[in-house]
Amino acid sequence: MRKSSLSFLVLFLGVAFLFAGDADVFRPTSWKLSDAPGSLSPEGVLQVTGTGETCNYFLSEAYPFQAGHLYMVTFEGRFPHKARGTAITGISKLNTDHLELTQNWETYSDLYAFQNNRETGATLRMGQWHLLGDVEFRNIRVAEVYPIYAQMDGIILGDGESLKTSEYVFVSSYNSRGHMESRVLDTFTTGFNTDRLVFGAEDEIIYRFDVNGRKFQKGHLETGIHYYEAGCLSVAISADKEKWTEVASLNKADSISIDLPQEFFPAEVLYLRLKAVSGNAYDSDKSDAGSFQVNNVRFIASIDGGAIELMGSTRYAEILKKDGQLEVTIQDVGDAVPGGDNRLTMAVKNLTQKALTLQPKTILQQDQRVCPPTQAEPVVLEAGEDRLLSLPYALDDTGTWMLLASFQGDASLEIQCQLTVSDYFNTSYGELLSQDGTAAIWSAAPEWKIPQNRMVPKKTGDALRVAAAQGESEAVQLVLTPSQELTGVNFQMSDLKNAQGDLLSASNLELLRVHYLDIQKKTDASSVLGYWPDPLPAVRPDMTLAANRTQPFFLRANVPENTPGGIYKGVVTITAAHGWKATIPLEIRVFGFALPKEMTCQTGFGFDANVIQAYHKPQTEEECQQLVDIYLKFLSRNHISPYNPAPLILLPVTLQKGETLADTHVNIDWTRWDVAMEKALDEYHFNSFVMPIEGLGSGTFHSRIEPKFLGFSEDTPEYQKLHPEYLGILQEHLKQKGWLEKAYVYWFDEPDTKDYDFVLNGFRKLKEGAPQLRRLLTESIEPPLLGGPNLWCPHTYGVNDDDWAARRALGEQCWWYLCTGPKAPYATLFIDHPGIEMRLWLWQSWQHKIQGVLMWSSNYWTSPAAYPDGLQNPYTDPMSWVSGYDTPAGTKIPWGNGDGRLLYPPEAVLEGPQESLCLEDPVSSIRMEMLRDGIEDYEYFVILQKLIAEKAHSLTPDETQRYSSLLEVPAEVTSEMTKFNVDSSPMKAHRIKLAEAIEALLKK
């Protein structure tokens, strides 16, 4: 399996009777459907239908895949109508789940390292797993591809590998584009599903670790079983792949974290084998789980030799045309980022007995855009000559590019290599404000996540600029790129004045330092490994900034409500040791209107008071409440309403017993709860809360708790009399306090179809006992659930505008939520995704008439499953690991980087959890800032919409049409759920138009 380069002597496979046109495009006329329903259209479209509980698929005829080779399966897919569930694609035992399909035809591709297969006649499979609805596939294509790895000083590293000074790290990147493929992969017979290895009886996988002759001095291994049915996992190492030494074994869902025996070190080469020594056979046709599944392998080793920094990467090339006169090996594709050292390096050997004159050329293509070719000087290769050629190419943008390289002349060769350039490497933004021999100072919009090696922008500007309404917070990034180490760095912000002499005090400005997190495991294939910005701790005095390393700062303006409109001007002064100084102009445009203290778009976010107590170490009840208040104030400043704004206060429910059941009544002591809620709603301006409720039971798709009220089960007379009375008391109290429109019941999460009857039973009780209390359910609008919830809250990818319109017409409400799903290409909440996504979420909310947003947690700092013996440090481990759902202690299953975590504990936790009380404020994040900004943007639309209605009598038809058109989100901001602009410029331009329209209407 191992290849460190691309040799074009490998035979390209093709089966003529399967193909049409291009040699590797399938004509699926002879594909077989495993189970009905499904169809094959005359146009070659495969359609498979699922009921929500079934699995069926089309299978191709046998295809001659070769063991040890790598294949790319490309197809167009879609859910032609509303659908919920999973499309599945793959090769025999190698499978990929696709949840991200939309109603439009989109192209998808997956790479599969084909196994040393015990079977013959491997086939392609396209179908569905527990899909409710239809999925369609067309233009299915298979091609053999070849990996190209990152290189430096003779060291070759692929995806998942990195060298940081003298430490080598390999982390399995199963959720990357290459799935199982890895430079260190030696052989395997396991199955694979999306992001995990699937072991049947006697299946194994072997990795071979080496770093170009440098010796491993010691090693540490982490792996484990995250899903278990039967069998035993044997973990063994070897120096020669002949004699194996077992170092660990597991016969249950559990994890392994061990130092490897020192007797194997030092070692230039080390083999690792994971093997199922007993268990069940794997039945790929039934998508059987096999014996167990493994989703993580992590090998860490210290190595000898000099310090080196190299992040591994893998790209894949495909042969399009060759004539056999050349042997060509691609060694590197360079940086493959805008502004980088972008060159295709290949070793070319003349296999003929005559001299060959070659004309090399490279072309970059993106969708319909074709860049001008880069033509190198002609090359003459003498008979038998072997030469290293380097072909430059001009990469000027992010996204998915196809790099086409060709030789013309006496020999012909064409290859293509897909370059997926993360938006993280975008270089189109930013304005240079100042530059001298010490440092460059520049500005950037806050939506951009700036890499530490980002080049200084070419475009110039004259000031830092912020625009905000009264009562709004908005930021700009002030970026320093020192050309030499800067010590003693400090910032001073002046007061600002407008043309009328009005003052905006510097006390309303905050400067936050952008902190970087080491992303060692990708959230999804769209991510890149490396250092990503997210936490925003306060700036410290006398900082040191490293040479040639970009350091951004968030300059946040918190505009007071009573600030007169206008453009306020001031300066930011930056000083450092040895007398260095720079003064940068700052302009803040204040719009002539104020945002309300309470936002219109409702928010419901989980907040765990127990977690903050574990990190901050309060000792008394008073300290606990003081700590909670600090966090509630933080959430309030960001317009985030926690599920429970009184987390330390119970709502006591007791019985006032009489001589008979008829004389027995429910009593609720509202005293302490009311005081806490008045503070939450009147002072913190939270616009929603979960009403604590008893007697309905609870649960998720995984498990549930049966209803019981004050010890009485629902089939007892006591329950049937007292529980409706209790619900009526709740509703009446909320009504009297004026809180009914903010309260909602959230008692069951993400039900499966098997849970629908249980859920409807609970909603029936709520509807009868407290009909005015909102009933939330985190589920898409499904016909069997109609009449139950009246506050629908599905994943963002579960939205159907027609369904929403029908429910709203009945007076029901529509929210949506983000969590571990969806992932790319949707807007998400993850650290290693574009910064604009959280802000865009609210623009899409307005676009789809969504009235609220929800997230399961805001401070998920630690996973009891992943860290059973201590607390996770979210600064050093940014991954959110699964917990709950019976996940065994010590098991690390990734949810995604930053899932459920929008704020951080104080930066002191960098050195570990506190041992004594810490009352510092929490640390914000780029994603929290973007979420708050999006909520405020949503309010611009609301204000303008209200003003258009209020001023209708004074507006001409043309004015009404012009102002009303601004209520539509521009397509250049987001046209579909999966199509949006990562550049915030169109968003900001439209926001200015909204603000100016509001100002104009207020003057009428």
Side-chain angles (χ1 to χ4, degrees):
M1 183 61 238
R2 296 182 67 254
K3 299 184 181 73
S4 60
S5 59
L6 164 57
S7 174
F8 290 167
L9 293 179
V10 180
L11 177 65
F12 178 75
L13 298 176
V15 182
F17 67 85
L18 284 177
F19 301 144
D22 293 336
D24 52 357
V25 176
F26 275 79
R27 185 194 301 136
T29 55
S30 57
W31 287 45
K32 303 298 182 184
L33 182 65
S34 65
D35 293 290
S39 64
L40 171 59
S41 76
E43 295 76 26
V45 176
L46 300 172
Q47 183 180 82
V48 177
T49 301
T51 66
E53 298 180 348
T54 58
C55 173
N56 63 331
Y57 41 82
F58 275 96
L59 287 174
S60 73
E61 295 187 14
Y63 184 90
F65 295 106
Q66 289 192 355
H69 290 230
L70 183 64
Y71 296 90
M72 179 172 64
V73 178
T74 302
F75 64 92
E76 292 180 37
R78 70 172 182 173
F79 294 139
H81 314 290
K82 174 191 171 186
R84 179 170 62 89
T86 305
I88 58 173
T89 63
I91 304 172
S92 294
K93 290 172 64 174
L94 310 176
N95 179 77
T96 302
D97 294 339
H98 286 277
L99 290 85
E100 74 275 22
L101 270 62
T102 69
Q103 291 182 250
N104 301 316
W105 287 111
E106 304 281 356
T107 300
Y108 303 87
S109 64
D110 293 296
L111 286 131
Y112 300 102
F114 197 69
Q115 59 205 10
N116 291 338
N117 201 7
R118 300 184 186 130
E119 305 170 359
T120 57
T123 58
L124 284 174
R125 178 171 62 169
M126 315 291 288
Q128 64 82 24
W129 169 262
H130 287 195
L131 180 77
L132 184 60
D134 300 324
V135 60
E136 293 181 343
F137 308 95
R138 71 181 185 188
N139 294 337
I140 303 159
R141 180 175 181 269
V142 178
E144 186 173 0
V145 294
Y146 305 86
I148 307 167
Y149 302 121
Q151 297 192 43
M152 178 186 289
D153 298 334
I155 293 175
I156 302 171
L157 299 181
D159 256 359
E161 295 181 278
S162 63
L163 270 174
K164 297 175 182 177
T165 61
S166 296
E167 181 180 76
Y168 168 84
V169 177
F170 167 75
V171 179
S172 54
S173 52
Y174 299 145
N175 61 349
S176 68
R177 183 167 179 257
H179 290 325
M180 285 184 69
E181 190 281 321
S182 169
R183 186 192 72 88
V184 301
L185 179 61
D186 191 83
T187 57
F188 70 101
T189 59
T190 65
F192 178 80
N193 189 355
T194 308
D195 59 359
R196 56 200 181 271
L197 304 171
V198 183
F199 287 79
E202 303 305 312
D203 278 344
E204 67 178 19
I205 185 168
I206 297 175
Y207 291 102
R208 181 184 188 275
F209 298 108
D210 71 286
V211 188
N212 193 33
R214 299 178 71 165
K215 292 183 178 180
F216 300 118
Q217 302 300 308
K218 59 181 179 179
H220 180 83
L221 175 68
E222 297 175 7
T223 188
I225 298 173
H226 83 276
Y227 177 87
Y228 179 84
E229 287 204 352
C232 179
L233 170 65
S234 172
V235 181
I237 59 174
S238 172
D240 56 10
K241 212 170 74 165
E242 298 292 333
K243 180 182 178 182
W244 294 94
T245 299
E246 186 176 81
V247 294
S249 64
L250 284 176
N251 59 4
K252 62 178 181 178
D254 202 352
S255 62
I256 296 167
S257 180
I258 56 172
D259 292 328
L260 297 177
Q262 196 57 41
E263 65 196 68
F264 283 87
F265 301 96
E268 287 189 12
V269 176
L270 188 71
Y271 290 91
L272 167 67
R273 183 184 70 188
L274 308 182
K275 184 172 183 178
V277 295
S278 61
N280 304 322
Y282 178 88
D283 186 346
S284 62
D285 285 344
K286 295 181 179 178
S287 295
D288 186 76
S291 300
F292 49 79
Q293 299 176 4
V294 172
N295 71 342
N296 185 55
V297 177
R298 190 168 187 252
F299 173 66
I300 308 168
S302 59
I303 61 171
D304 64 4
I308 188 172
E309 296 274 339
L310 176 60
M311 182 64 65
S313 65
T314 308
R315 289 155 180 114
Y316 303 92
E318 176 188 353
I319 306 169
L320 299 179
K321 180 181 178 181
K322 59 186 176 64
D323 63 10
Q325 299 185 81
L326 300 173
E327 176 182 324
V328 179
T329 302
I330 291 187
Q331 295 189 346
D332 197 7
V333 293
D335 294 338
V337 295
D341 183 13
N342 301 321
R343 57 185 63 248
L344 183 67
T345 303
M346 61 182 75
V348 183
K349 184 176 182 179
N350 183 351
L351 299 177
T352 72
Q353 301 302 311
K354 60 180 181 180
L356 298 175
T357 300
L358 307 175
Q359 178 63 67
K361 181 173 65 174
T362 58
I363 301 175
L364 277 171
Q365 181 174 345
Q366 186 181 65
D367 297 326
Q368 302 303 313
R369 177 187 175 194
V370 179
C371 298
T374 301
Q375 192 123 341
E377 292 295 321
V379 175
V380 177
L381 283 182
E382 300 298 332
E385 183 183 358
D386 193 345
R387 188 185 302 183
L388 197 66
L389 299 181
S390 182
L391 308 181
Y393 59 93
L395 187 63
D396 62 0
D397 202 355
T398 58
T400 298
W401 292 88
M402 195 62 70
L403 173 62
L404 303 172
S406 65
F407 288 143
Q408 297 176 339
D410 294 337
S412 62
L413 171 74
E414 293 181 7
I415 64 170
Q416 66 179 13
C417 178
Q418 181 174 309
L419 304 177
T420 300
V421 186
S422 168
D423 288 307
Y424 191 41
F425 300 114
N426 194 304
T427 59
S428 65
Y429 63 88
E431 292 185 348
L432 180 62
L433 304 176
S434 170
Q435 188 170 26
D436 57 23
T438 301
I441 304 171
W442 49 288
S443 67
E447 292 77 22
W448 290 109
K449 293 183 178 178
I450 304 173
Q452 291 176 301
N453 60 352
R454 166 68 153 85
M455 67 176 66
V456 173
K458 296 179 181 178
K459 184 180 178 181
T460 60
D462 55 10
L464 294 160
R465 287 187 171 87
V466 177
Q470 300 153 10
E472 184 177 16
S473 295
E474 187 74 16
V476 64
Q477 291 193 81
L478 167 61
V479 191
L480 269 70
T481 305
S483 54
Q484 60 190 54
E485 183 181 77
L486 281 179
T487 60
V489 177
N490 289 288
F491 298 84
Q492 180 67 46
M493 292 173 284
S494 73
D495 292 337
L496 299 96
K497 291 185 178 180
N498 66 9
Q500 289 72 41
D502 299 312
L503 181 70
L504 181 59
S505 171
S507 63
N508 297 301
L509 306 178
E510 295 179 83
L511 198 63
L512 308 172
R513 174 172 51 87
V514 175
H515 181 90
Y516 286 80
L517 304 175
D518 187 3
I519 300 297
Q520 295 191 12
K521 191 175 186 67
K522 298 178 182 180
T523 289
D524 55 34
S526 73
S527 175
V528 293
L529 300 180
Y531 290 94
W532 283 75
D534 194 48
L536 297 173
V539 167
R540 293 177 176 176
D542 298 322
M543 288 182 300
T544 296
L545 303 183
N548 302 312
R549 178 169 293 181
T550 293
Q551 177 59 60
F553 298 87
F554 258 58
L555 195 163
R556 182 170 65 202
N558 305 305
V559 180
E561 294 175 32
N562 57 357
T563 306
I567 296 177
Y568 291 75
K569 296 184 178 183
V571 296
V572 178
T573 302
I574 311 170
T575 58
H578 310 298
W580 181 81
K581 179 179 179 180
T583 301
I584 305 299
L586 169 64
E587 291 185 4
I588 299 177
R589 178 179 179 181
V590 178
F591 299 126
F593 64 93
L595 297 187
K597 292 181 179 179
E598 183 180 306
M599 295 291 109
T600 301
C601 183
Q602 290 192 302
T603 53
F605 281 59
F607 167 65
D608 193 333
N610 293 324
V611 168
I612 64 171
Q613 291 174 28
Y615 284 80
H616 285 260
K617 305 294 183 182
Q619 305 299 314
T620 66
E621 183 177 337
E622 181 181 359
E623 289 177 348
C624 289
Q625 187 60 59
Q626 188 178 3
L627 180 62
V628 165
D629 285 342
I630 289 173
Y631 277 80
L632 292 180
K633 289 177 183 176
F634 175 88
L635 294 173
S636 172
R637 288 197 302 271
N638 290 282
H639 313 305
I640 299 301
S641 302
Y643 292 160
N644 183 2
L648 303 182
I649 297 178
L650 298 176
L651 187 59
V653 181
T654 56
L655 283 183
Q656 183 180 335
K657 293 186 178 181
E659 293 183 4
T660 66
L661 179 57
D663 296 327
T664 299
H665 298 286
V666 174
N667 182 63
I668 301 176
D669 183 357
W670 298 97
T671 309
R672 296 185 64 212
W673 191 79
D674 277 357
V675 171
M677 291 302 296
E678 286 167 0
K679 184 175 183 179
L681 302 177
D682 297 339
E683 181 179 332
Y684 295 147
H685 307 290
F686 296 140
N687 62 14
S688 77
F689 63 91
V690 173
M691 186 63 208
I693 198 160
E694 300 180 18
L696 294 179
S698 62
T700 70
F701 62 89
H702 177 72
S703 63
R704 61 193 187 211
I705 298 172
E706 295 299 319
K708 188 172 286 189
F709 182 65
L710 297 177
F712 302 110
S713 59
E714 66 176 332
D715 58 353
T716 62
E718 291 84 355
Y719 182 100
Q720 293 166 10
K721 189 267 182 186
L722 298 171
H723 193 256
E725 178 181 311
Y726 160 73
L727 292 175
I729 294 171
L730 292 180
Q731 177 174 290
E732 184 59 28
H733 185 80
L734 293 172
K735 189 173 183 179
Q736 289 178 2
K737 300 293 290 186
W739 299 341
L740 200 53
E741 292 184 354
K742 295 181 181 179
Y744 61 97
V745 177
Y746 181 10
W747 67 283
F748 201 100
D749 189 44
E750 297 181 334
D752 205 346
T753 52
K754 70 180 186 307
D755 304 307
Y756 282 4
D757 288 343
F758 181 86
V759 168
L760 285 172
N761 180 45
F763 282 135
R764 176 187 56 78
K765 297 171 189 175
L766 279 169
K767 194 173 182 179
E768 293 174 355
Q772 294 177 281
L773 188 56
R774 292 185 297 175
R775 306 178 297 276
L776 180 141
L777 186 65
T778 46
E779 175 64 300
S780 58
I781 298 174
E782 301 296 343
L785 293 170
L786 299 181
N790 59 3
L791 175 50
W792 300 88
C793 188
H795 279 102
T796 55
Y797 61 76
V799 165
N800 181 285
D801 288 339
D802 292 337
D803 287 348
W804 295 141
R807 303 325 298 172
R808 285 194 301 271
L810 296 173
E812 297 176 2
Q813 294 183 338
C814 302
W815 291 12
W816 58 7
Y817 73 105
L818 295 174
C819 61
T820 182
K823 294 183 168 70
Y826 289 86
T828 74
L829 52 73
F830 302 111
I831 295 167
D832 48 338
H833 272 220
I836 198 173
E837 290 187 358
M838 288 297 286
R839 190 166 192 169
L840 180 81
W841 184 25
L842 274 297
W843 285 66
Q844 290 185 335
S845 297
W846 176 262
Q847 187 176 50
H848 292 274
K849 298 180 172 60
I850 301 298
Q851 297 145 307
V853 295
L854 180 144
M855 191 179 295
W856 69 279
S857 177
S858 57
N859 66 321
Y860 184 64
W861 297 338
T862 188
S863 163
Y867 288 86
D869 301 322
L871 297 176
Q872 180 176 349
N873 186 332
Y875 289 98
T876 56
D877 184 359
M879 178 58 70
S880 295
W881 303 100
V882 171
S883 60
Y885 308 107
D886 291 335
T887 306
T891 304
K892 287 187 173 181
I893 304 172
W895 264 330
N897 290 293
D899 179 23
R901 183 188 310 135
L902 294 179
L903 54 98
Y904 291 81
E907 204 174 12
V909 176
L910 279 167
E911 303 302 324
Q914 300 297 296
E915 298 303 324
S916 59
L917 175 64
C918 172
L919 286 179
E920 294 182 27
D921 284 352
V923 171
S924 187
S925 68
I926 293 176
R927 294 168 300 132
M928 176 64 89
E929 299 289 310
M930 294 300 99
L931 177 63
R932 183 205 61 240
D933 289 345
I935 292 169
E936 292 171 340
D937 295 342
Y938 188 105
E939 204 65 30
Y940 279 47
F941 285 102
V942 172
I943 293 171
L944 178 59
Q945 186 178 60
K946 289 179 179 178
L947 284 172
I948 292 171
E950 290 173 7
K951 307 286 185 177
H953 64 281
S954 62
L955 297 177
T956 66
D958 285 345
E959 288 176 324
T960 300
Q961 191 280 328
R962 177 163 52 87
Y963 288 131
S964 296
S965 67
L966 295 175
L967 298 176
E968 299 295 324
V969 175
E972 58 263 38
V973 175
T974 175
S975 58
E976 298 176 21
M977 291 295 296
T978 58
K979 289 182 170 59
F980 51 84
N981 198 336
V982 298
D983 182 352
S984 64
S985 299
M987 175 185 286
K988 295 294 184 65
H990 193 73
R991 179 173 168 271
I992 294 291
K993 291 179 181 179
L994 291 170
E996 291 175 344
I998 292 169
E999 289 178 319
L1001 285 173
L1002 285 172
K1003 294 175 182 177
K1004 279 189 173 286

